[in-house]
Amino acid sequence: MKIRLGLTFLATGTFLLAVVSACSDDDAGRSPADPTSSATPSAMSPSTSASPTSPSDAAVTAATSLMETYYAVVDELRTDPASDLKKLESVATSTQLTAQQTFISRQREQSRRQTGTTTIDTLTVQSVNLDNSDPDAGKVPTVVLDVCWDVSKVDVLDESGKSIVPQDRPDTGWTRYTVANYEYAADPTGGWRVVTGEDLEQAPCADS
């Protein structure tokens, strides 16, 4: 399922996006089990995505909404040094939460901040797995999403206001996120959190 999103968020500062694929050994036990695809990716327009008609559709809708909120929260925290890092807990957990907390804290210690906006151009659903048989062992519902981002309007400034973005920074690219719901039984809609992220080596925003 491929969804083209005409949505703009505050900058992710994504020459720094490698941080989203960082791993934390302390949280390894919290990561969900490998997802099993229950659907083959197919093209879809946002205008045709009406009310969810199945549990899988509902999971995709909730995970996609969470992904958008995740970007907005991360961007706010990277842009405003006074914003509360606890906001990350509303959109991320496990490896992703630790990676973002570490990265943003380091950025603030170095008096760096980002400006500008990023665009999420395309979101592709790679798999949906609604197995909730053993949350403690990581068997929880997951949705795997590929996000194509564009940070051509993003800048990152040092303490003096000088840009530190390398001239050869790629302005577009893909990141694969695993979104999981450890509270699925009690909260199938609002319990989704981003668990991991991995940058992909593929043509930016290319049709596949």
Side-chain angles (χ1 to χ4, degrees):
M1 180 186 297
K2 180 177 290 185
I3 307 171
R4 298 194 67 83
L5 299 174
L7 302 175
T8 301
F9 304 98
L10 290 174
T12 59
T14 315
F15 87 92
L16 310 163
L17 258 182
V19 71
V20 299
S21 60
C23 294
S24 169
D25 293 338
D26 292 340
D27 291 319
R30 180 71 171 166
S31 297
D34 291 339
T36 300
S37 176
S38 62
T40 301
S42 59
M44 176 181 175
S45 168
S47 62
T48 63
S49 56
S51 299
T53 57
S54 71
S56 291
D57 290 340
V60 168
T61 298
T64 299
S65 178
L66 182 277
M67 195 75 254
E68 299 167 9
T69 304
Y70 168 84
Y71 268 86
V73 169
V74 171
D75 296 341
E76 175 190 352
L77 295 172
R78 291 182 178 179
T79 303
D80 180 9
S83 53
D84 190 350
L85 282 179
K86 287 187 177 295
K87 291 182 179 180
L88 281 170
E89 297 175 8
S90 68
V91 293
T93 190
S94 187
T95 301
Q96 198 73 359
L97 176 61
T98 300
Q100 289 293 351
Q101 287 173 331
T102 300
F103 174 78
I104 296 171
S105 294
R106 184 181 302 120
Q107 177 182 332
R108 291 178 176 184
E109 290 171 0
Q110 296 172 336
S111 298
R112 295 177 176 179
R113 63 183 179 86
Q114 65 180 48
T115 63
T117 58
T118 187
T119 300
I120 294 182
D121 180 81
T122 305
L123 185 151
T124 303
V125 180
Q126 291 294 336
S127 66
V128 181
N129 176 12
L130 298 184
D131 182 1
N132 194 40
S133 59
D134 193 350
D136 290 338
K139 291 184 179 180
V140 294
T142 59
V143 178
V144 177
L145 304 171
D146 286 0
V147 174
C148 185
W149 39 262
D150 182 334
V151 292
S152 56
K153 297 181 180 179
V154 170
D155 203 352
V156 180
L157 309 179
D158 64 14
E159 186 174 10
S160 67
K162 180 180 179 181
S163 174
I164 60 171
V165 175
Q167 292 185 351
D168 60 351
R169 176 195 68 178
D171 287 335
T172 58
W174 289 87
T175 300
R176 176 165 294 171
Y177 295 97
T178 298
V179 183
N181 190 340
Y182 289 92
E183 310 297 332
Y184 189 76
D187 191 1
T189 300
W192 296 89
R193 298 292 185 273
V194 181
V195 179
T196 64
E198 177 185 4
D199 290 344
L200 303 177
E201 295 183 3
Q202 63 187 58
C205 302
D207 291 334
S208 58

PDB file of all heavy atoms in Angstrom, residues 161-182:
ATOM      1  N   GLY A 161      24.823  30.526  14.962  1.00  0.00           N
ATOM      2  CA  GLY A 161      23.854  30.681  13.885  1.00  0.00           C
ATOM      3  C   GLY A 161      24.383  30.282  12.534  1.00  0.00           C
ATOM      4  O   GLY A 161      23.722  30.500  11.511  1.00  0.00           O
ATOM      5  N   LYS A 162      25.547  29.647  12.492  1.00  0.00           N
ATOM      6  CA  LYS A 162      26.149  29.214  11.231  1.00  0.00           C
ATOM      7  C   LYS A 162      25.689  27.802  10.881  1.00  0.00           C
ATOM      8  O   LYS A 162      25.622  26.925  11.734  1.00  0.00           O
ATOM      9  CB  LYS A 162      27.670  29.244  11.340  1.00  0.00           C
ATOM     10  CG  LYS A 162      28.395  28.815  10.071  1.00  0.00           C
ATOM     11  CD  LYS A 162      29.901  28.874  10.263  1.00  0.00           C
ATOM     12  CE  LYS A 162      30.638  28.420   9.023  1.00  0.00           C
ATOM     13  NZ  LYS A 162      32.118  28.458   9.203  1.00  0.00           N
ATOM     14  N   SER A 163      25.391  27.589   9.607  1.00  0.00           N
ATOM     15  CA  SER A 163      24.949  26.276   9.160  1.00  0.00           C
ATOM     16  C   SER A 163      26.075  25.257   9.278  1.00  0.00           C
ATOM     17  O   SER A 163      27.233  25.546   8.959  1.00  0.00           O
ATOM     18  CB  SER A 163      24.481  26.336   7.703  1.00  0.00           C
ATOM     19  OG  SER A 163      24.172  25.035   7.225  1.00  0.00           O
ATOM     20  N   ILE A 164      25.724  24.049   9.755  1.00  0.00           N
ATOM     21  CA  ILE A 164      26.704  22.970   9.836  1.00  0.00           C
ATOM     22  C   ILE A 164      26.324  21.814   8.920  1.00  0.00           C
ATOM     23  O   ILE A 164      26.884  20.724   9.014  1.00  0.00           O
ATOM     24  CB  ILE A 164      26.844  22.461  11.277  1.00  0.00           C
ATOM     25  CG1 ILE A 164      25.500  21.923  11.789  1.00  0.00           C
ATOM     26  CG2 ILE A 164      27.378  23.549  12.201  1.00  0.00           C
ATOM     27  CD1 ILE A 164      25.612  21.208  13.128  1.00  0.00           C
ATOM     28  N   VAL A 165      25.390  22.040   8.018  1.00  0.00           N
ATOM     29  CA  VAL A 165      24.958  20.992   7.101  1.00  0.00           C
ATOM     30  C   VAL A 165      25.995  20.808   5.996  1.00  0.00           C
ATOM     31  O   VAL A 165      26.341  21.771   5.308  1.00  0.00           O
ATOM     32  CB  VAL A 165      23.594  21.335   6.476  1.00  0.00           C
ATOM     33  CG1 VAL A 165      23.214  20.306   5.431  1.00  0.00           C
ATOM     34  CG2 VAL A 165      22.528  21.424   7.554  1.00  0.00           C
ATOM     35  N   PRO A 166      26.513  19.606   5.798  1.00  0.00           N
ATOM     36  CA  PRO A 166      27.484  19.373   4.720  1.00  0.00           C
ATOM     37  C   PRO A 166      26.871  19.653   3.358  1.00  0.00           C
ATOM     38  O   PRO A 166      25.682  19.419   3.127  1.00  0.00           O
ATOM     39  CB  PRO A 166      27.830  17.881   4.873  1.00  0.00           C
ATOM     40  CG  PRO A 166      27.435  17.530   6.265  1.00  0.00           C
ATOM     41  CD  PRO A 166      26.255  18.395   6.594  1.00  0.00           C
ATOM     42  N   GLN A 167      27.682  20.155   2.442  1.00  0.00           N
ATOM     43  CA  GLN A 167      27.182  20.462   1.104  1.00  0.00           C
ATOM     44  C   GLN A 167      26.716  19.217   0.368  1.00  0.00           C
ATOM     45  O   GLN A 167      25.861  19.298  -0.521  1.00  0.00           O
ATOM     46  CB  GLN A 167      28.259  21.185   0.288  1.00  0.00           C
ATOM     47  CG  GLN A 167      28.571  22.587   0.793  1.00  0.00           C
ATOM     48  CD  GLN A 167      29.551  23.312  -0.118  1.00  0.00           C
ATOM     49  OE1 GLN A 167      30.128  22.725  -1.034  1.00  0.00           O
ATOM     50  NE2 GLN A 167      29.745  24.590   0.136  1.00  0.00           N
ATOM     51  N   ASP A 168      27.282  18.079   0.704  1.00  0.00           N
ATOM     52  CA  ASP A 168      26.919  16.843   0.008  1.00  0.00           C
ATOM     53  C   ASP A 168      25.833  16.052   0.734  1.00  0.00           C
ATOM     54  O   ASP A 168      25.603  14.889   0.446  1.00  0.00           O
ATOM     55  CB  ASP A 168      28.143  15.956  -0.190  1.00  0.00           C
ATOM     56  CG  ASP A 168      28.793  15.551   1.134  1.00  0.00           C
ATOM     57  OD1 ASP A 168      28.396  16.099   2.190  1.00  0.00           O
ATOM     58  OD2 ASP A 168      29.697  14.701   1.102  1.00  0.00           O
ATOM     59  N   ARG A 169      25.138  16.685   1.663  1.00  0.00           N
ATOM     60  CA  ARG A 169      24.051  15.994   2.348  1.00  0.00           C
ATOM     61  C   ARG A 169      22.960  15.604   1.362  1.00  0.00           C
ATOM     62  O   ARG A 169      22.505  16.417   0.561  1.00  0.00           O
ATOM     63  CB  ARG A 169      23.414  16.908   3.401  1.00  0.00           C
ATOM     64  CG  ARG A 169      22.209  16.273   4.093  1.00  0.00           C
ATOM     65  CD  ARG A 169      21.368  17.286   4.859  1.00  0.00           C
ATOM     66  NE  ARG A 169      20.670  18.226   3.990  1.00  0.00           N
ATOM     67  CZ  ARG A 169      19.834  19.175   4.440  1.00  0.00           C
ATOM     68  NH1 ARG A 169      19.642  19.312   5.743  1.00  0.00           N
ATOM     69  NH2 ARG A 169      19.240  19.993   3.600  1.00  0.00           N
ATOM     70  N   PRO A 170      22.499  14.351   1.399  1.00  0.00           N
ATOM     71  CA  PRO A 170      21.357  13.978   0.558  1.00  0.00           C
ATOM     72  C   PRO A 170      20.093  14.652   1.072  1.00  0.00           C
ATOM     73  O   PRO A 170      19.815  14.636   2.273  1.00  0.00           O
ATOM     74  CB  PRO A 170      21.290  12.455   0.715  1.00  0.00           C
ATOM     75  CG  PRO A 170      21.937  12.180   2.031  1.00  0.00           C
ATOM     76  CD  PRO A 170      23.025  13.218   2.170  1.00  0.00           C
ATOM     77  N   ASP A 171      19.330  15.255   0.166  1.00  0.00           N
ATOM     78  CA  ASP A 171      18.133  15.977   0.573  1.00  0.00           C
ATOM     79  C   ASP A 171      16.888  15.108   0.597  1.00  0.00           C
ATOM     80  O   ASP A 171      15.852  15.512   1.135  1.00  0.00           O
ATOM     81  CB  ASP A 171      17.894  17.171  -0.355  1.00  0.00           C
ATOM     82  CG  ASP A 171      18.887  18.297  -0.094  1.00  0.00           C
ATOM     83  OD1 ASP A 171      19.407  18.372   1.034  1.00  0.00           O
ATOM     84  OD2 ASP A 171      19.146  19.083  -1.026  1.00  0.00           O
ATOM     85  N   THR A 172      16.960  13.934  -0.021  1.00  0.00           N
ATOM     86  CA  THR A 172      15.815  13.028  -0.022  1.00  0.00           C
ATOM     87  C   THR A 172      16.293  11.605   0.240  1.00  0.00           C
ATOM     88  O   THR A 172      17.463  11.284   0.026  1.00  0.00           O
ATOM     89  CB  THR A 172      15.061  13.059  -1.365  1.00  0.00           C
ATOM     90  OG1 THR A 172      15.968  12.704  -2.420  1.00  0.00           O
ATOM     91  CG2 THR A 172      14.475  14.439  -1.637  1.00  0.00           C
ATOM     92  N   GLY A 173      15.390  10.773   0.692  1.00  0.00           N
ATOM     93  CA  GLY A 173      15.740   9.382   0.947  1.00  0.00           C
ATOM     94  C   GLY A 173      14.610   8.653   1.640  1.00  0.00           C
ATOM     95  O   GLY A 173      13.557   9.225   1.927  1.00  0.00           O
ATOM     96  N   TRP A 174      14.844   7.373   1.909  1.00  0.00           N
ATOM     97  CA  TRP A 174      13.844   6.513   2.535  1.00  0.00           C
ATOM     98  C   TRP A 174      14.300   6.027   3.896  1.00  0.00           C
ATOM     99  O   TRP A 174      15.484   5.731   4.094  1.00  0.00           O
ATOM    100  CB  TRP A 174      13.589   5.281   1.677  1.00  0.00           C
ATOM    101  CG  TRP A 174      12.864   5.527   0.404  1.00  0.00           C
ATOM    102  CD1 TRP A 174      13.407   5.874  -0.804  1.00  0.00           C
ATOM    103  CD2 TRP A 174      11.457   5.422   0.184  1.00  0.00           C
ATOM    104  NE1 TRP A 174      12.433   5.990  -1.752  1.00  0.00           N
ATOM    105  CE2 TRP A 174      11.225   5.720  -1.181  1.00  0.00           C
ATOM    106  CE3 TRP A 174      10.374   5.104   1.009  1.00  0.00           C
ATOM    107  CZ2 TRP A 174       9.939   5.701  -1.724  1.00  0.00           C
ATOM    108  CZ3 TRP A 174       9.111   5.089   0.460  1.00  0.00           C
ATOM    109  CH2 TRP A 174       8.896   5.383  -0.898  1.00  0.00           C
ATOM    110  N   THR A 175      13.375   5.904   4.827  1.00  0.00           N
ATOM    111  CA  THR A 175      13.629   5.252   6.100  1.00  0.00           C
ATOM    112  C   THR A 175      12.505   4.257   6.362  1.00  0.00           C
ATOM    113  O   THR A 175      11.329   4.570   6.149  1.00  0.00           O
ATOM    114  CB  THR A 175      13.689   6.268   7.259  1.00  0.00           C
ATOM    115  OG1 THR A 175      14.729   7.200   7.003  1.00  0.00           O
ATOM    116  CG2 THR A 175      13.962   5.568   8.585  1.00  0.00           C
ATOM    117  N   ARG A 176      12.875   3.053   6.801  1.00  0.00           N
ATOM    118  CA  ARG A 176      11.881   2.024   7.137  1.00  0.00           C
ATOM    119  C   ARG A 176      11.664   2.007   8.647  1.00  0.00           C
ATOM    120  O   ARG A 176      12.604   1.819   9.414  1.00  0.00           O
ATOM    121  CB  ARG A 176      12.345   0.646   6.658  1.00  0.00           C
ATOM    122  CG  ARG A 176      11.407  -0.505   7.054  1.00  0.00           C
ATOM    123  CD  ARG A 176      11.720  -1.750   6.258  1.00  0.00           C
ATOM    124  NE  ARG A 176      11.427  -1.524   4.840  1.00  0.00           N
ATOM    125  CZ  ARG A 176      11.762  -2.376   3.876  1.00  0.00           C
ATOM    126  NH1 ARG A 176      12.421  -3.497   4.171  1.00  0.00           N
ATOM    127  NH2 ARG A 176      11.457  -2.102   2.618  1.00  0.00           N
ATOM    128  N   TYR A 177      10.419   2.198   9.050  1.00  0.00           N
ATOM    129  CA  TYR A 177      10.063   2.226  10.459  1.00  0.00           C
ATOM    130  C   TYR A 177       9.213   1.015  10.826  1.00  0.00           C
ATOM    131  O   TYR A 177       8.342   0.592  10.055  1.00  0.00           O
ATOM    132  CB  TYR A 177       9.257   3.482  10.792  1.00  0.00           C
ATOM    133  CG  TYR A 177      10.000   4.772  10.633  1.00  0.00           C
ATOM    134  CD1 TYR A 177       9.886   5.534   9.470  1.00  0.00           C
ATOM    135  CD2 TYR A 177      10.813   5.256  11.661  1.00  0.00           C
ATOM    136  CE1 TYR A 177      10.569   6.731   9.323  1.00  0.00           C
ATOM    137  CE2 TYR A 177      11.494   6.456  11.524  1.00  0.00           C
ATOM    138  CZ  TYR A 177      11.368   7.184  10.348  1.00  0.00           C
ATOM    139  OH  TYR A 177      12.046   8.370  10.215  1.00  0.00           O
ATOM    140  N   THR A 178       9.456   0.484  12.014  1.00  0.00           N
ATOM    141  CA  THR A 178       8.551  -0.482  12.610  1.00  0.00           C
ATOM    142  C   THR A 178       7.743   0.231  13.679  1.00  0.00           C
ATOM    143  O   THR A 178       8.311   0.842  14.592  1.00  0.00           O
ATOM    144  CB  THR A 178       9.315  -1.659  13.240  1.00  0.00           C
ATOM    145  OG1 THR A 178      10.040  -2.344  12.217  1.00  0.00           O
ATOM    146  CG2 THR A 178       8.350  -2.630  13.897  1.00  0.00           C
ATOM    147  N   VAL A 179       6.436   0.180  13.539  1.00  0.00           N
ATOM    148  CA  VAL A 179       5.517   0.800  14.488  1.00  0.00           C
ATOM    149  C   VAL A 179       4.781  -0.330  15.201  1.00  0.00           C
ATOM    150  O   VAL A 179       4.217  -1.219  14.552  1.00  0.00           O
ATOM    151  CB  VAL A 179       4.523   1.730  13.769  1.00  0.00           C
ATOM    152  CG1 VAL A 179       3.614   2.420  14.770  1.00  0.00           C
ATOM    153  CG2 VAL A 179       5.279   2.765  12.927  1.00  0.00           C
ATOM    154  N   ALA A 180       4.815  -0.334  16.524  1.00  0.00           N
ATOM    155  CA  ALA A 180       4.234  -1.430  17.290  1.00  0.00           C
ATOM    156  C   ALA A 180       3.260  -0.915  18.339  1.00  0.00           C
ATOM    157  O   ALA A 180       3.314   0.251  18.739  1.00  0.00           O
ATOM    158  CB  ALA A 180       5.341  -2.248  17.969  1.00  0.00           C
ATOM    159  N   ASN A 181       2.380  -1.807  18.779  1.00  0.00           N
ATOM    160  CA  ASN A 181       1.402  -1.454  19.805  1.00  0.00           C
ATOM    161  C   ASN A 181       1.460  -2.482  20.932  1.00  0.00           C
ATOM    162  O   ASN A 181       0.905  -3.574  20.842  1.00  0.00           O
ATOM    163  CB  ASN A 181      -0.005  -1.405  19.221  1.00  0.00           C
ATOM    164  CG  ASN A 181      -1.011  -0.809  20.184  1.00  0.00           C
ATOM    165  OD1 ASN A 181      -0.773  -0.760  21.384  1.00  0.00           O
ATOM    166  ND2 ASN A 181      -2.139  -0.348  19.667  1.00  0.00           N
ATOM    167  N   TYR A 182       2.151  -2.116  22.031  1.00  0.00           N
ATOM    168  CA  TYR A 182       2.270  -2.993  23.187  1.00  0.00           C
ATOM    169  C   TYR A 182       1.027  -2.957  24.070  1.00  0.00           C
ATOM    170  O   TYR A 182       0.929  -3.728  25.020  1.00  0.00           O
ATOM    171  CB  TYR A 182       3.501  -2.603  24.008  1.00  0.00           C
ATOM    172  CG  TYR A 182       4.800  -2.956  23.343  1.00  0.00           C
ATOM    173  CD1 TYR A 182       5.461  -2.038  22.531  1.00  0.00           C
ATOM    174  CD2 TYR A 182       5.365  -4.211  23.505  1.00  0.00           C
ATOM    175  CE1 TYR A 182       6.651  -2.365  21.909  1.00  0.00           C
ATOM    176  CE2 TYR A 182       6.566  -4.549  22.883  1.00  0.00           C
ATOM    177  CZ  TYR A 182       7.205  -3.622  22.085  1.00  0.00           C
ATOM    178  OH  TYR A 182       8.380  -3.954  21.462  1.00  0.00           O
TER     179      TYR A 182
END
